[in-house]
């Protein structure tokens, strides 16, 4: 499979229930990911066009969501994005769909969004291949001590300012659903 086999696009509103079920299945039937998606969708952090699906053979097979967050910088608050959750249909794990979707989605937002960075917590060996870097290297602090330092990562977008630093502040949906760390 190649990147060109996977087509990404914004999720349509009528697809939410199916995408929610896909995410729950991708996380091993852990319903807490569905509760997180519900909370994010109902919050200020949700940006409909940044909930992105991947299609393979005209079927939704994966989903990624970029939501609003804030960096509490020393002199101001800065709007940023958080990449979470990311889910691929279980029967398609380890086939490159997640990597292709994330790479294409980052390419789409890189030229269209004003935010300077995308943050996530995840496996550094996996996400490093996609352009993410240790966030602490740039002076960013993780929003919770439950997030292992190596898992706290950043993808710098074109408007990234090398002087930017501070603490990432997750949207309240992550805290209310205990989806941190």
């Amino acid at each position: 499979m190649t990147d060109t086999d996977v087509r990404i696009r914004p999720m349509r509103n009528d697809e939410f229930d199916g995408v929610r079920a896909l995410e729950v299945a991708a996380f091993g039937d852990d319903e807490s990911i569905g509760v997180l998606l519900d909370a994010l969708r109902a919050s200020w952090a949700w940006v409909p066009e940044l909930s992105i699906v991947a299609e393979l053979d005209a079927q939704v097979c994966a989903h990624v969501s970029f939501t609003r967050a804030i960096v509490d910088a020393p002199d101001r608050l800065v709007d940023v994005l958080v990449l979470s959750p990311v889910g691929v249909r279980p029967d398609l794990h380890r086939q490159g769909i997640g990597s292709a979707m994330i790479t294409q989605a980052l390419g789409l937002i890189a030229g269209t969004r004003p935010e300077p960075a995308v943050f996530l917590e995840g496996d550094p060996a996996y996400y490093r291949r996609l352009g993410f870097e240790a966030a602490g290297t740039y002076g960013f602090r993780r929003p919770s001590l439950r997030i292992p330092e190596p898992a706290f990562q950043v993808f710098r977008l074109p408007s990234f300012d090398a002087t930017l630093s501070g603490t990432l502040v997750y949207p309240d949906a992550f805290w209310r659903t205990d989806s941190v760390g």
Side-chain angles (χ1 to χ4, degrees):
M1 176 179 345
T2 66
D3 285 4
T4 56
D5 293 335
V6 177
R7 178 179 167 257
I8 68 157
R9 62 171 174 77
M11 178 189 75
R12 294 188 314 263
N13 198 41
D14 66 335
E15 294 176 309
F16 181 79
D17 291 340
V19 165
R20 186 187 190 282
L22 182 150
E23 287 280 10
V24 169
F27 279 83
D29 295 319
D30 179 2
E31 180 59 26
S32 64
I33 199 69
V35 173
L36 171 62
L37 273 171
D38 293 340
L40 285 169
R41 190 173 183 216
S43 77
W44 64 271
W46 188 259
V47 182
E49 63 269 20
L50 294 182
S51 183
I52 297 172
V53 297
E55 287 184 344
L56 180 65
D57 299 327
Q59 292 191 342
V60 172
C61 63
H63 170 259
V64 63
S65 185
F66 296 91
T67 52
R68 292 182 186 117
I70 297 167
V71 166
D72 183 10
D75 59 344
R76 67 193 185 284
L77 297 177
V78 178
D79 292 330
V80 295
L81 297 172
V82 170
L83 174 63
S84 179
V86 176
V88 177
R89 214 172 65 200
D91 62 312
L92 296 173
H93 283 186
R94 303 218 181 281
Q95 295 185 33
I97 292 173
S99 296
M101 177 181 58
I102 292 167
T103 300
Q104 290 181 43
L106 287 167
L108 282 177
I109 67 167
T112 62
R113 299 292 306 180
E115 295 88 358
V118 176
F119 290 87
L120 63 75
E121 53 182 275
D123 179 3
Y126 177 81
Y127 287 101
R128 188 177 311 119
R129 296 181 299 113
L130 306 177
F132 284 85
E133 303 170 273
T137 302
Y138 294 97
F140 295 110
R141 288 179 296 284
R142 54 202 162 143
S144 171
L145 295 177
R146 292 186 288 159
I147 300 170
E149 189 68 40
F152 180 48
Q153 298 169 69
V154 65
F155 183 91
R156 296 176 293 146
L157 293 169
S159 63
F160 186 81
D161 173 356
T163 66
L164 178 61
S165 66
T167 302
L168 177 65
V169 180
Y170 272 155
D172 61 338
F174 284 95
W175 301 107
R176 293 185 186 281
T177 60
D178 196 17
S179 299
V180 177

